[in-house]
Amino acid sequence: MTRRHSSHLGSDDLPGRATLAGPERAALAEEIRRVLEQNWREGEREGVPYGYTCPSPGHYPYQWYWDSCFTAIARSSYDAARAREELRTLLRAQRPDGFIGHTIFWGQRIDAERARRYNVVDRDDHTTWTIQPPLIAWAWEIVARRSDDDPSFAGEALEPLARHYDWLAEHRDLDGSSLLAIVQPDESGLDASPKFDQVWGRRCCGQPGFLLLVRRNRRLGFDARRIATQHPAEHVREVLTNVLYIQGLRALARLGGGERFADRADRAREALVRDCWDGEAGLFWDLAGTEARPLRVNTWSSLAPLCLDSLPEEVAHRLIREHLLDDAEYVTPVPIPSVAATEPSFNPGADVGRFLVLKLRRYWRGPSWVNTAWMLIPAMRHLGYTDQADRMLGPLLDAMQREGLREYYDAGSGEGLGAVDFGWSGLALELL
Ligand code: GLC
């Protein structure tokens, strides 16, 4: 794809049309409900009941932290009871000290192959020892707003939620900056994103060396402070993680968790804007290691602060005008790509070669994901870019209607890729 590098706010070149027609919307909504019902898993483990949406039956059979938050949000518009059960289940996986893992194994022990690859210490572990973006309190608030049938839901879990966010501050704010650090790329939820290449190199997700990284961190007990002390270049204050942390802290304060969470959110937001915003580039960068080296790769997480309700307006408009609406960067035929098309690493189909008949892909290196649209499209609408937002969304909805609920879509052709019947693509319900 050759692209002209120019900002064309309001131009007619934006792809797609505004929205699906009525019957098509209804059919897509119906398909989303079918997938979410099909992926629902419930049962009991050692006397603890569980109910959650697995991201994709064959590919991802367990409970993933942020997937569960996304699917609870998607489901809450028509079945708030199950949405509440999904979030309660996530909290039931909490350790007494407040930690909640990235992946939780409810119904089945993990197999031996996954036990090597996953961030567990032992095959019998009930959860991984790593984190995912801390979305739970924000999801809790959204679901609570739709819970007229259970008004006590909003306030029923303030203590464990507070314990969770306290754990994050204590164990992941490594330098007192108020921002959280991750110690492996997959903790961001954006596993193989090219922004991590310069930190972990051949030990990035989707590379053979990733197993070595897991093995090393396992030896260090997945203890972020130990890891950062022994390997000072290998932790990242990652933008998306902190955006969802700030949103979570604010939601927790609004739910009644206490003013200290609102104060913490303010401090984290100030630190994000002070330390991660690059006024010259007009983008937010992750900061790597003790030296706080900016990772200057233009990916959608550089735009993620747009969904903060407290971002300075001028910063928000710059993100949209100079980047999100730049046809060279984010206005691909099927937006919103996970990496700007101007980046040398941009790979719209995430295709990295073949192994026998299998096509190998490393995700988060170009294709478009529905959770990205869920975070950025409402922000565009809120700031007055309604028409442009609809026209960015249109081609993605068309691709979903054609290809079904896939994990991600080729940012050029719209081909559905990755896991099938993928739960969080159901977030489209929130955007229709
Ligand atoms: C992939 C994604 C991660 C997601 C998981 C389950 O690993 O990168 O964000 O949580 O799949 O869907």
Side-chain angles (χ1 to χ4, degrees):
M1 236 175 294
T2 344
R3 296 181 165 280
R4 187 166 46 91
H5 192 102
S6 69
S7 180
H8 67 178
L9 176 67
S11 109
D12 286 334
D13 309 345
L14 278 170
R17 53 176 189 218
T19 41
L20 295 176
E24 292 169 341
R25 290 160 78 101
L28 180 57
E30 190 49 45
E31 174 61 2
I32 290 172
R33 284 196 279 268
R34 181 194 70 76
V35 168
L36 293 180
E37 291 335 300
Q38 170 202 276
N39 293 10
W40 183 253
R41 300 287 176 271
E42 59 185 24
E44 207 180 278
R45 185 187 68 194
E46 296 169 9
V48 180
Y50 64 83
Y52 68 91
T53 316
C54 74
S56 170
H59 214 91
Y60 300 118
Y62 313 114
Q63 182 177 29
W64 266 260
Y65 180 125
W66 80 331
D67 293 66
S68 254
C69 297
F70 289 136
T71 45
I73 293 167
R75 198 191 283 278
S76 63
S77 61
Y78 70 94
D79 184 355
R82 269 201 176 164
R84 293 192 292 269
E85 181 55 14
E86 175 136 33
L87 296 179
R88 286 173 176 139
T89 295
L90 194 53
L91 266 193
R92 286 184 206 123
Q94 185 177 43
R95 260 181 359 207
D97 66 356
F99 168 85
I100 303 175
H102 171 296
T103 316
I104 301 126
F105 319 109
W106 286 105
Q108 46 190 316
R109 191 177 179 228
I110 55 170
D111 56 55
E113 190 272 320
R114 280 189 167 106
R116 270 189 329 125
R117 209 159 32 91
Y118 280 28
N119 302 311
V120 294
V121 172
D122 190 281
R123 223 184 121 184
D124 288 319
D125 286 347
H126 286 167
T127 106
T128 61
W129 291 64
T130 43
I131 59 169
Q132 245 186 348
L135 176 56
I136 190 169
W138 190 18
W140 202 282
E141 186 189 34
I142 295 171
V143 173
R145 251 190 262 130
R146 296 165 180 177
S147 290
D148 289 343
D149 55 330
D150 187 355
S152 60
F153 177 73
E156 77 176 33
L158 295 178
E159 191 279 326
L161 287 173
R163 225 177 331 123
H164 179 48
Y165 285 86
D166 283 342
W167 185 93
L168 291 164
E170 190 184 334
H171 295 268
R172 291 311 186 97
D173 174 3
L174 299 179
D175 55 2
S177 68
S178 299
L179 296 177
L180 306 182
I182 59 170
V183 290
Q184 292 188 188
D186 47 324
E187 290 200 310
S188 67
L190 311 175
D191 306 23
S193 172
K195 65 187 185 167
F196 299 126
D197 292 357
Q198 44 185 315
V199 180
W200 284 288
R202 297 184 63 79
R203 290 169 307 146
C204 276
C205 290
Q207 298 273 26
F210 180 64
L211 285 179
L212 298 177
L213 180 65
V214 173
R215 206 162 69 189
R216 195 221 42 214
N217 287 348
R218 183 180 289 136
R219 215 177 46 239
L220 296 173
F222 295 104
D223 177 334
R225 285 192 194 281
R226 280 179 75 193
I227 295 169
T229 307
Q230 296 194 20
H231 306 276
E234 290 188 39
H235 58 279
V236 174
R237 279 181 273 154
E238 199 263 339
V239 172
L240 176 62
T241 301
N242 282 290
V243 165
L244 293 176
Y245 177 54
I246 294 165
Q247 288 293 87
L249 290 169
R250 272 199 206 298
L252 180 53
R254 283 190 298 259
L255 285 165
E259 265 313 291
R260 70 192 172 97
F261 292 106
D263 293 344
R264 207 180 285 169
D266 287 344
R267 284 198 302 275
R269 202 254 308 146
E270 277 159 28
L272 187 78
V273 175
R274 186 189 58 231
D275 300 341
C276 300
W277 170 247
D278 175 345
E280 209 171 302
L283 289 165
F284 285 83
W285 306 126
D286 296 358
L287 303 173
T290 319
E291 290 178 348
R293 183 165 58 92
L295 300 180
R296 293 197 175 83
V297 183
N298 185 356
T299 72
W300 80 272
S301 71
S302 285
L303 312 175
L306 268 176
C307 82
L308 294 174
D309 40 24
S310 51
L311 194 66
E313 280 227 350
E314 177 219 328
V315 169
H317 285 292
R318 285 195 61 192
L319 288 171
I320 295 179
R321 289 199 181 124
E322 294 174 20
H323 300 285
L324 194 47
L325 287 176
D326 183 342
D327 64 349
E329 294 188 16
Y330 287 97
V331 188
T332 55
V334 181
I336 301 167
S338 38
V339 175
T342 43
E343 285 291 335
S345 57
F346 172 69
N347 183 345
D351 188 344
V352 291
R354 276 184 180 281
F355 176 70
L356 303 174
V357 291
L358 282 181
K359 259 217 170 130
L360 302 179
R361 298 185 195 281
R362 290 185 68 213
Y363 37 36
W364 298 112
R365 299 181 76 87
S368 300
W369 298 63
V370 179
N371 65 339
T372 307
W374 177 77
M375 281 182 70
L376 301 184
I377 295 283
M380 290 177 78
R381 289 178 177 155
H382 181 72
L383 287 160
Y385 301 89
T386 318
D387 187 40
Q388 293 95 325
D390 285 348
R391 291 161 74 192
M392 295 277 274
L393 180 61
L396 181 66
L397 295 178
D398 284 346
M400 292 185 73
Q401 193 216 3
R402 217 173 43 239
E403 308 278 319
L405 269 65
R406 298 297 299 264
E407 191 174 8
Y408 46 88
Y409 299 84
D410 188 307
S413 69
E415 183 190 353
L417 300 169
V420 298
D421 285 351
F422 188 68
W424 91 40
S425 292
L427 283 171
L429 269 188
E430 299 287 296
L431 297 169
L432 280 173

